[in-house]
Amino acid sequence: MNEYIVHHGERSFSDSSSWETCEDKTLYWTLSLYIDPDQLPATLRERLHPTNKLRVQASYLGSIDLRDTIEPLFNDIADRERLSQVDDFLLDVPGPRQGEPVIITVPETITWSTEGTTFQAQFREPISRTLRCRRFWYVHLNGALSYHISFAFRYQHTPADFYFISMLQKVVAPKEFTLDAPPTGEFLTATERHLKLFPLEKMTARSPSSGPAPLKFWDFIRATFDQHADHLFRHMRVSLHAPRGDERFVDKLKRQVEALLPAAPRQHSYFDQLIANDPFIEVPRLAMPRARFLFLFQDRTFFQDLLPKTADGAPRPRRELVTDADYDCFKEWIQERISEAKLASALNKTKPVVVISHEFLDYLAAETPDRLRYLFLAGFNQNIIDFINQEASEILDSTDPIYPRTSEQEEESFFVRYANPRALIQFVRASRSLETGNDFIGTCPYAFLVHTIALHNEFLVRQYEQQVEKLTRDIGGLNAKRQLSHAARRFYNFRTQTYTQYRKFRYANIFRYDTEADVFKEVERRRGSLRKDQYLEQIVINLEAQTRDLEGRIRSNEDRQLTTLVAGVGAFSILQVVLQILDYFEKHIDDPQTSKVFFGINFGNIANINYIASLLIQFTGFVLVMLAALVVFFYIVKPLGVRIIRLFTRTR
């Protein structure tokens, strides 16, 4: 166990069970894996339903401690209540509250490619560091589940630690690296056995629970996920439906017998079945696990670099500290190395490689530590490992935070926050909420909630985007087949089911304070959640307008068909009356009274006032009968006719 306590001389964590003190120069990194509710078994979704929340937390490990310590902090900054309750909640995992030590190793030579050039950062030996690791579950209001692994790393301001921290982000978002794979159309995942991608292939991790042999980083994540998912699944199968009466004894005896039997090896991986892989667009043909991450630095020096102050405490522009003259030399040095590498490659007929030696990096750390820090910070905020190769303008752009944004906010700010498409990054001098949350979830609860709600919304809108795309294709296909009624029905099913569920489960900006509300809005913008929500809403509005037009066309078509049918019946009836009149005259042509009687009117009595009154009464009765016929037609005959027409034209 001692190898996990002090390793390669770095600042390490104690193995005591006491509460941990947050120290300066410590990184708190939370890797969050998202499980879509459709990926979970229906039984587990039912047992993790919000109506069972209190019972589940009370029966599962230290979940009550998580709830009582962390959730009040969540509620301080966010209004998560719906229908007088909060539907999402935390769950514990097996193991001590303090977590466990994890050794992560990065090779002594780090190779990447950018702007058509291959670079290598070389160190004297592999960079192995001991991190403390805590894990827990978060149950989302729509039934989704997320698994969170929080690492803590106490570092120094050295080139080795800067590259090590950069590689922590690269192993979960490996842009600037090239996938070496056969030219096929298949996607490769992070846990592929023979994957050839530098961070995923070369970075390793091990802990007491994973065994003595180092595992590739994502194999380590899969192993720890499988352990905790297996424990959760086994527990959920028995805790919520405990037997009663005599069955309790039988169940207890069954568990005792099972305990005596050797454990059957698992033939599957929960990770492979539950964690979906999405294409990683920066590396063609690579699919990465559905995950996002939070980096929190407690570092007074970094904080002062990012929010510099004058002697009297007023905000100082970073432009005064980051000048072209200070950083042009780095670009010039890189360009010289690129020219040398191309010349050497032409002579040796090899690919050009620019080597950044440990001697050069050590020189930068000794002679210009402030410049090296700015280079690292600017690169890390944008997930760029090629941070030596930056101009002053690039550094200033990359160190421009999403909060604070104004000088007034800078004067009263206690943290600096950045965001890139996959990570939320925060810098603090010190934090009381971090001190509270660290012993339970390994990070600041306030920053974690912003991160988790953004994670929830992002993957919810991504799923909704696929559903809208399918709706568009389906309606287009039905319209092409002239199945207009089917197209309208398909849209209204979507509107009442899929759309309603999306709007119900998508979080609005629930944060009470401007600090978190502004950051959440910016994170959603940078991850594309806001943009997608807006353009998908426009697609649905357009489809609704099309559907209403379809309904109008359907009604018009039905009315034309019904009018034609009624006109035909009316013409047939008139023809019958005419034929009856002709038949009457043919039979009574010689009768002198025939000319006096026509349609029941005796024209010989036309001057009789009583006869005229009787005719008016008959006419009024006729009008009333016609009105009754119209009512019957519009409220009985026409709806019935529409149903009959739809029945016989269903496939049109």
Side-chain angles (χ1 to χ4, degrees):
M1 188 69 177
N2 287 337
E3 63 178 324
Y4 292 97
I5 306 308
V6 177
H7 198 273
H8 288 274
E10 81 275 12
R11 297 166 58 237
S12 58
F13 296 88
S14 170
D15 63 344
S16 69
S17 59
S18 61
W19 301 95
E20 185 177 289
T21 300
C22 295
E23 296 185 4
D24 192 46
K25 297 180 184 177
T26 303
L27 167 64
Y28 300 90
W29 168 39
T30 301
L31 170 61
S32 301
L33 299 165
Y34 182 84
I35 308 171
D36 189 89
D38 294 338
Q39 298 288 113
L40 294 168
T43 303
L44 185 65
R45 293 202 307 270
E46 176 186 346
R47 295 177 182 179
L48 292 177
H49 191 272
T51 55
N52 301 320
K53 176 178 71 172
L54 297 180
R55 187 178 178 185
V56 171
Q57 288 182 314
S59 65
Y60 195 59
L61 303 171
S63 299
I64 287 183
D65 292 335
L66 275 179
R67 179 194 70 194
D68 294 345
T69 305
I70 302 302
E71 292 191 10
L73 296 174
F74 289 168
N75 297 330
D76 283 346
I77 65 163
D79 182 11
R80 300 185 297 156
E81 175 267 325
R82 297 187 180 196
L83 299 176
S84 301
Q85 68 177 13
V86 176
D87 291 339
D88 39 1
F89 56 96
L90 295 165
L91 285 179
D92 196 13
V93 299
R97 173 183 55 77
Q98 294 77 20
E100 67 172 350
V102 176
I103 295 177
I104 296 179
T105 302
V106 175
E108 65 273 17
T109 299
I110 302 172
T111 304
W112 69 91
S113 298
T114 182
E115 299 176 357
T117 303
T118 299
F119 294 84
Q120 285 185 348
Q122 297 180 346
F123 298 91
R124 294 183 178 86
E125 59 184 358
I127 310 171
S128 289
R129 298 292 185 263
T130 301
L131 294 76
R132 193 264 302 120
C133 178
R134 292 186 173 94
R135 302 137 175 138
F136 58 96
W137 299 97
Y138 189 97
V139 183
H140 299 256
L141 77 165
N142 67 331
L145 193 63
S146 53
Y147 179 69
H148 305 270
I149 310 106
S150 290
F151 298 91
F153 170 45
R154 291 176 176 165
Y155 57 87
Q156 301 286 357
H157 290 171
T158 63
D161 279 357
F162 287 165
Y163 274 96
F164 179 84
I165 294 171
S166 294
M167 290 299 292
L168 294 181
Q169 188 167 192
K170 286 302 181 186
V171 77
V172 291
K175 69 175 188 176
E176 296 181 289
F177 295 93
T178 303
L179 179 64
D180 182 9
T184 63
E186 297 180 358
F187 277 89
L188 302 177
T189 65
T191 54
E192 293 281 348
R193 180 170 299 181
H194 302 295
L195 183 69
K196 300 293 184 182
L197 188 70
F198 184 86
L200 280 62
E201 178 188 9
K202 301 297 184 180
M203 284 184 65
T204 63
R206 62 189 175 99
S207 70
S209 64
S210 70
L215 300 173
K216 289 195 294 185
F217 179 83
W218 277 106
D219 288 340
F220 171 81
I221 297 298
R222 177 168 58 178
T224 187
F225 178 90
D226 284 349
Q227 291 174 12
H228 295 149
D230 184 66
H231 189 280
L232 178 67
F233 275 53
R234 289 177 182 272
H235 178 81
M236 289 297 111
R237 283 199 294 266
V238 298
S239 65
L240 297 181
H241 300 283
R244 300 179 179 180
D246 294 337
E247 294 180 4
R248 190 180 301 277
F249 171 77
V250 175
D251 185 72
K252 181 178 179 181
L253 181 62
K254 180 181 177 181
R255 291 199 306 270
Q256 290 174 343
V257 172
E258 290 176 347
L260 297 175
L261 298 175
R266 291 198 305 272
Q267 300 300 320
H268 63 276
S269 167
Y270 288 94
F271 184 93
D272 294 341
Q273 294 192 14
L274 298 179
I275 305 297
N277 292 285
D278 293 327
F280 190 80
I281 59 175
E282 292 91 338
V283 180
R285 295 185 50 225
L286 176 66
M288 291 295 291
R290 191 166 289 178
R292 294 295 179 262
F293 12 98
L294 166 66
F295 293 93
L296 195 156
F297 292 84
Q298 179 170 320
D299 193 314
R300 293 181 179 275
T301 305
F302 283 166
F303 189 88
Q304 292 169 2
D305 289 338
L306 297 170
L307 289 185
K309 304 283 187 181
T310 61
D312 58 359
R316 182 183 181 186
R318 281 185 300 279
R319 190 73 177 96
E320 296 180 1
L321 302 175
V322 180
T323 64
D324 293 331
D326 289 333
Y327 291 90
D328 284 347
C329 57
F330 293 99
K331 293 289 292 185
E332 293 171 0
W333 185 87
I334 289 292
Q335 290 304 317
E336 290 176 1
R337 301 290 86 73
I338 291 175
S339 299
E340 293 173 359
K342 289 181 177 179
L343 179 60
S345 67
L347 294 175
N348 301 325
K349 297 182 179 180
T350 58
K351 293 183 178 180
V353 176
V354 175
V355 175
I356 304 174
S357 66
H358 64 85
E359 292 90 353
F360 174 72
L361 294 171
D362 290 341
Y363 170 80
L364 293 182
E367 299 298 325
T368 59
D370 54 336
R371 298 183 196 178
L372 181 61
R373 291 196 306 270
Y374 272 118
L375 288 167
F376 162 71
L377 291 170
F380 186 82
N381 289 342
Q382 299 300 322
N383 189 20
I384 295 172
I385 197 170
D386 188 34
F387 55 80
I388 297 296
N389 188 16
Q390 294 184 93
E391 298 175 346
S393 60
E394 294 172 314
I395 295 172
L396 290 171
D397 288 342
S398 299
T399 54
D400 186 22
I402 62 174
Y403 189 91
R405 300 301 298 267
T406 65
S407 57
E408 291 78 8
Q409 290 176 338
E410 285 190 25
E411 289 178 356
E412 59 185 25
S413 180
F414 297 97
F415 51 79
V416 192
R417 285 173 174 164
Y418 298 84
N420 61 48
R422 297 179 181 88
L424 174 62
I425 305 167
Q426 176 169 313
F427 297 85
V428 298
R429 288 179 301 226
S431 171
R432 183 190 61 81
S433 57
L434 174 60
E435 290 280 358
T436 303
N438 177 47
D439 286 300
F440 291 91
I441 62 173
T443 191
C444 169
Y446 298 160
F448 173 79
L449 189 62
V450 174
H451 157 73
T452 301
I453 299 301
L455 164 87
H456 170 87
N457 277 2
E458 179 183 359
F459 289 117
L460 187 68
V461 75
R462 286 176 180 270
Q463 180 190 44
Y464 180 62
E465 182 181 28
Q466 295 175 352
Q467 294 166 334
V468 171
E469 176 64 22
K470 186 176 187 304
L471 172 71
T472 305
R473 291 198 304 268
D474 290 349
I475 290 181
L478 292 170
N479 286 344
K481 297 177 182 178
R482 305 297 298 167
Q483 297 178 353
L484 306 184
S485 59
H486 286 234
R489 192 179 307 116
R490 172 72 174 89
F491 175 79
Y492 281 115
N493 287 339
F494 170 87
R495 189 71 160 174
T496 57
Q497 297 175 21
T498 305
Y499 180 84
T500 301
Q501 292 295 305
Y502 169 69
R503 286 298 169 194
K504 176 181 178 181
F505 292 131
R506 188 181 190 278
Y507 269 116
N509 197 331
I510 60 174
F511 294 96
R512 304 181 193 274
Y513 306 114
D514 292 343
T515 50
E516 282 75 28
D518 292 348
V519 170
F520 176 75
K521 181 179 180 180
E522 186 63 22
V523 171
E524 287 229 298
R525 188 187 69 81
R526 298 207 177 192
R527 294 187 181 179
S529 300
L530 284 178
R531 173 183 57 82
K532 289 184 178 182
D533 180 71
Q534 292 169 357
Y535 92 76
L536 291 174
E537 184 67 18
Q538 290 302 314
I539 290 176
V540 172
I541 291 173
N542 181 56
L543 287 175
E544 184 170 22
Q546 291 182 23
T547 302
R548 294 190 184 280
D549 178 63
L550 285 176
E551 289 179 320
R553 290 159 58 189
I554 291 171
R555 283 194 296 268
S556 177
N557 188 40
E558 291 171 347
D559 287 343
R560 282 197 306 271
Q561 292 175 334
L562 188 59
T563 300
T564 302
L565 177 63
V566 172
V569 172
F572 181 74
S573 300
I574 292 172
L575 181 61
Q576 281 187 317
V577 171
V578 171
L579 291 175
Q580 289 176 356
I581 294 172
L582 292 175
D583 182 66
Y584 176 84
F585 275 99
E586 183 179 353
K587 291 180 179 180
H588 301 85
I589 192 64
D590 298 327
D591 189 345
Q593 297 296 322
T594 301
S595 61
K596 298 180 180 180
V597 180
F598 186 72
F599 283 114
I601 302 175
N602 189 344
F603 291 95
N605 296 329
I606 198 67
N608 190 326
I609 190 65
N610 293 329
Y611 186 67
I612 293 175
S614 67
L615 287 179
L616 291 175
I617 293 173
Q618 292 178 20
F619 178 75
T620 303
F622 175 76
V623 171
L624 292 176
V625 170
M626 291 299 296
L627 290 175
L630 289 174
V631 171
V632 171
F633 172 77
F634 283 107
Y635 287 93
I636 298 177
V637 177
K638 183 176 180 180
L640 183 61
V642 168
R643 288 178 178 271
I644 294 173
I645 290 171
R646 286 180 177 176
L647 179 65
F648 285 98
T649 60
R650 179 167 295 178
T651 59
R652 293 183 58 185

